[in-house]
Amino acid sequence: MIHGEIHLHVRQYINGRWETSATTGVSANPSDTSEVVAEYARADRRQAEAAIRAATEAFPHWSHSTPQRRADVLDRIGAELLARKDELGLLLAREEGKTLPEAVAEVARAGQIFKFFAGEAIRGGAGGGGGENVASVRAGVQVDVTREPVGVVGLITPWNSPFVIPAWKIAPALAHGNSVVFKPAELVPACGWVLAEIISRAALPAGAFNLVMGSGREVGQALVDSALVDALSFTGSVANGERILQTAAARRAKVQLETGGKNALVVLADADLDRAVDCAVQGAYFSAGQRCTASSRLIVEAAVHDAFVAKLRQRLKGLKIGHALERGIDIGPVADEERLAQNLAWVGIAREEGAEHVWGGEALERATRGHYMSPALFLAKPSHRIAREEVFGPLACVLRADDYDEALALCNDTPFGLCAGICTNSLKHAMHFRRHAVVGMTMVNLPTAGVDFHVPFGGRKGSGYGPREQGRHAAEFYTTVKTGYMLA
Ligand code: NAD
């Protein structure tokens, strides 16, 4: 049981053992920076390499384990996450700053992901009966197409969803028989550690799962560089993703990237405006806008533009911003001082470029010292930087469109392609949008953020690379296909 007030001392998990490191770091509560959440061991390259070797040695054993064994391991992890969701949600809210209800929901979803992949291990993972038996074009020859695990996978994750993003990488990796080296973001070591602690008690062979906490430049890069790491799944910024892709592809590792977004929510004149405002508030500002699926461009048809902006402004005025653990809070702090400074700099850039300020964008003081800011709204032009670049904070802009066609063109006028939403009562426009928005996920009359755990997640263009995450499609990344011929 992890109590709210206690600060944790967290260590690496390498080859089935807990290890300290030569240096340590601390994570602080973004709602109250005087509170240390965890002191954590910071691994160096040598420890990362030891974890990779342990995973390499464990691979033959784990990859030949029975589907039942893998299912039991994953089911146990999922059950514990679900049973402890309130307690672990408290830790997540303290370390990352999302509100307690958001944090509890995230832990529950992580639990559901492990449970889903427990089923996948049985249903059709590598060696789990997911193959095909195909008639040969030659007489007397039988053909089998089977899936096998890829090998050692390096999993590198960001700070904004420290339970659910690791879960949707670790669970399919293990379900399909791969061994894992997991590197969480440095802002959220306690969340990474607690997940590893639960996994460490789930009867995996030593080395099949390893945790290494430390810097991206040293520990993350060690995973990217190592010839022993067969596949890398990375979620984070575009710039880091691109660097990782270049290095890893040069040594022919399999790579999956989930990177930024500049997601649009289109609001048509025939939409239920209250519903559209709800979608905008939830999608753009909840979790302090620190979601890759956040709606940062609100593209509104001219006929309802002013009414929509007025209603949204009214809603923003009423939102409660405060300590993530305080009851009734809508938005917690942003993750750290650097992100707060970046968000405020974006507000300055928007003003300088001539975007019209509608609401917010100021640093706020609360009873505790934290990284608080009011949600910001601007009216922008498509050429403004706030309409083009990812902000990753509670800042959105409204773009005016003359009609549906212009709204769709604006929606697709971006280097990103993660998700896009539309609020409309027109079946014709909803269907057209679903087909023509150049993204990985579409939403009709729903916020752009908020997805199910059993279906593919991911984007196109600058938002993603490689196969999708989550659901049955995860097998495309975590397995490799083998074709077997036999003369009967
Ligand atoms: P980041 O790129 O700074 O870091 C992500 C991870 O990569 C961290 O664990 C970091 O330590 C590691 N890293 C950094 N440099 C590395 C290197 N050279 N080699 C290997 N690993 C390295 O991103 P962040 O600030 O933690 O997260 C915010 C970003 O993540 C945003 O751009 C956001 O859009 C993106 N994101 C995307 C999704 C998605 O699914 N599309 C989901 C959440 C967040």
Side-chain angles (χ1 to χ4, degrees), residues 2 73 207 277 304 371 379 381 386 468:
I2 295 161
V73 164
V277 169
V304 290
H371 312 298
L379 308 184
K381 294 205 170 68
I386 51 160
R468 294 286 188 271

Side-chain angles (χ1 to χ4, degrees), residues 17 131 134 186-187 199 208 220 224 237 249 279 282 350 375 388 465:
R17 284 186 299 271
V134 183
E186 284 211 88
L187 277 182
I199 295 171
V224 177
S237 57
C279 289
Q282 285 188 43
R388 306 209 68 80
Y465 176 86

Side-chain angles (χ1 to χ4, degrees), residues 100-296:
L100 190 56
E102 288 171 333
V104 171
E106 178 176 330
V107 176
R109 191 167 143 219
Q112 287 163 328
I113 288 170
F114 275 98
K115 290 245 170 196
F116 174 85
F117 281 104
E120 277 301 277
I122 302 274
R123 270 191 299 273
E132 298 163 58
N133 183 256
V134 183
S136 171
V137 293
R138 289 173 281 167
V141 174
Q142 283 184 356
V143 186
D144 283 323
V145 182
T146 51
R147 286 188 174 271
E148 293 186 359
V150 178
V152 174
V153 298
L155 307 179
I156 302 174
T157 56
W159 48 268
N160 65 318
S161 297
F163 276 92
V164 89
I165 294 178
W168 81 43
K169 295 183 192 295
I170 296 167
L174 293 176
H176 295 303
N178 302 281
S179 50
V180 169
V181 181
F182 165 44
K183 195 212 95 61
E186 284 211 88
L187 277 182
V188 285
C191 293
W193 168 80
V194 85
L195 192 54
E197 200 280 323
I198 292 170
I199 295 171
S200 76
R201 289 184 281 99
L204 280 160
F209 171 84
N210 304 273
L211 166 75
V212 277
M213 295 170 290
S215 79
R217 215 168 293 153
E218 186 165 1
V219 174
Q221 195 64 46
L223 297 182
V224 177
D225 292 340
S226 172
L228 297 175
V229 175
D230 301 287
L232 282 152
S233 179
F234 166 87
T235 300
S237 57
V238 175
N240 285 333
E242 274 170 7
R243 272 196 290 272
I244 287 169
L245 177 61
Q246 279 177 15
T247 311
R251 62 172 184 82
R252 295 176 180 248
K254 206 168 175 181
V255 181
Q256 175 182 59
L257 304 177
E258 292 298 343
T259 43
K262 192 70 193 170
N263 312 295
L265 177 72
V266 170
V267 179
L268 295 188
D270 64 13
D272 172 339
L273 267 203
D274 289 324
R275 170 101 209 134
V277 169
D278 261 358
C279 289
V281 170
Q282 285 188 43
Y285 300 107
F286 283 10
S287 297
Q290 300 175 137
R291 293 190 284 198
C292 49
T293 48
S295 338
S296 59

